[in-house]
């Protein structure tokens, strides 16, 4: 099985739950679209697939373009997996788990969580996923590659009907079906034709749950061998 992967979810809270009281304060005016590629040449390789924002591209980024301080005034302790302003954040425990499964693959840059009065709360890391894969099962999904992103047929019919094959059931619910062979031994990755979702393996999600790490949010996805 494959899981979608996200952070920032407090246990037992559903729709309408309050967001943690926190914001990026250094650098002032930070925006995730200002994050820059560490090596822009990597994005120019033929067949690399569509490239979006650097922070969600699956490539390493320049550490100096990432935030270094988060105001955190929430009464609850920081989560092991956190997310805000287009970025993912992890605790030292979460980083250690990810590194155990995929040593040296992903990027972790330090960020300090502090109260409004400057009191230290926690040392955390900005987490940049650095693996790009093509993992959708083309034989079984009913999504359409149009031409660089997987799109629901009904949406595509409204925008580019010429790309929808004749006889397509445009009312059928979209089915994201992943191919385990294409995923191989990867445990966390971004699909080159799906943005901006992060995906994860059964093995690492099981480990997150077994170790009681907080904040993980994600749902199971269909997958075939």
């Amino acid at each position: 099985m494959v899981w979608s992967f996200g952070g920032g979810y407090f246990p037992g809270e559903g729709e309408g739950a309050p967001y943690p009281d926190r914001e990026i304060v250094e650098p002032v005016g930070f925006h995730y679209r200002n994050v820059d590629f560490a090596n822009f040449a990597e994005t120019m390789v033929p067949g690399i697939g569509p490239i979006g924002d650097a922070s969600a591209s699956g490539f390493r980024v320049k550490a100096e373009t990432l935030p270094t301080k988060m105001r955190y005034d929430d009464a609850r302790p920081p989560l092991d997996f956190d997310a805000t302003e287009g970025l993912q954040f992890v605790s030292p425990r979460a980083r250690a788990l990810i590194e155990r499964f995929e040593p040296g693959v992903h990027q972790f840059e330090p960020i300090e969580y502090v109260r409004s009065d400057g009191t230290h709360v926690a040392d955390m890391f900005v987490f940049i996923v650095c693996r790009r894969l093509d993992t959708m099962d083309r034989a079984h999904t009913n999504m359409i590659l149009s031409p660089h992103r997987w799109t629901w047929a009904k949406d595509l019919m409204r925008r580019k009907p010429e790309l929808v094959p004749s006889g397509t059931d445009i009312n059928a619910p979209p089915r994201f079906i992943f191919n385990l062979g294409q995923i191989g031994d990867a445990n966390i990755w971004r699909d080159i034709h799906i943005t901006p979702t992060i995906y994860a393996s059964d093995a690492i999600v099981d480990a997150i749950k077994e170790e009681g790490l907080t904040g993980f949010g994600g749902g199971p996805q269909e997958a075939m061998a």
Side-chain angles (χ1 to χ4, degrees):
M1 187 180 294
V2 170
W3 291 75
S4 58
F5 180 100
Y9 300 90
F10 279 92
E13 294 189 350
E15 187 175 350
Y19 286 101
D21 182 9
R22 45 104 163 92
E23 65 176 336
I24 292 170
V25 293
E26 289 185 11
V28 175
F30 171 81
H31 195 284
Y32 68 89
R33 286 184 174 163
N34 293 331
V35 176
D36 198 7
F37 294 100
N39 181 3
F40 188 74
E42 289 181 324
T43 72
M44 306 299 290
V45 176
I48 201 67
I51 306 295
D53 296 312
S55 60
S57 67
F59 291 106
R60 297 184 72 84
V61 303
K62 293 179 179 178
E64 61 267 26
T65 63
L66 292 172
T68 57
K69 188 167 289 187
M70 178 89 73
R71 177 188 64 77
Y72 189 90
D73 286 322
D74 200 283
R76 300 164 294 189
L79 297 162
D80 291 302
F81 293 95
D82 197 6
T84 190
E85 300 191 45
L87 294 176
Q88 301 285 325
F89 306 87
V90 296
S91 69
R93 289 181 65 211
R95 176 187 178 174
L97 184 146
I98 294 168
E99 285 282 271
R100 191 170 80 233
F101 276 82
E102 299 195 321
V105 173
H106 305 290
Q107 184 175 2
F108 302 89
E109 299 296 342
I111 181 170
E112 183 186 15
Y113 280 30
V114 299
R115 302 291 186 198
S116 291
D117 64 4
T119 303
H120 176 81
V121 176
D123 290 316
M124 300 280 286
F125 297 92
V126 186
F127 172 42
I128 303 294
V129 175
C130 299
R131 191 192 291 272
R132 290 168 53 86
L133 297 173
D134 182 356
T135 56
M136 185 77 83
D137 191 303
R138 285 162 168 73
H140 295 94
T141 183
N142 64 356
M143 304 285 282
I144 297 173
L145 200 55
S146 61
H148 303 298
R149 302 186 190 281
W150 290 108
T151 307
W152 185 23
K154 191 170 186 176
D155 285 342
L156 196 59
M157 180 62 78
R158 288 194 291 262
R159 298 185 291 106
K160 294 183 178 180
E162 69 277 8
L163 296 180
V164 180
S166 176
T168 298
D169 181 359
I170 64 170
N171 292 310
R175 294 185 68 196
F176 286 82
I177 304 177
F178 293 86
N179 185 291
L180 297 177
Q182 291 166 222
I183 294 168
D185 62 358
N187 286 285
I188 297 181
W189 71 93
R190 292 185 182 275
D191 188 287
I192 64 173
H193 297 299
I194 306 172
T195 55
T197 309
I198 300 169
Y199 294 98
S201 69
D202 259 349
I204 199 165
V205 171
D206 286 346
I208 288 169
K209 293 178 178 179
E210 287 170 5
E211 295 195 14
L213 298 183
T214 60
F216 170 76
Q221 310 291 309
E222 287 190 82
M224 304 191 71

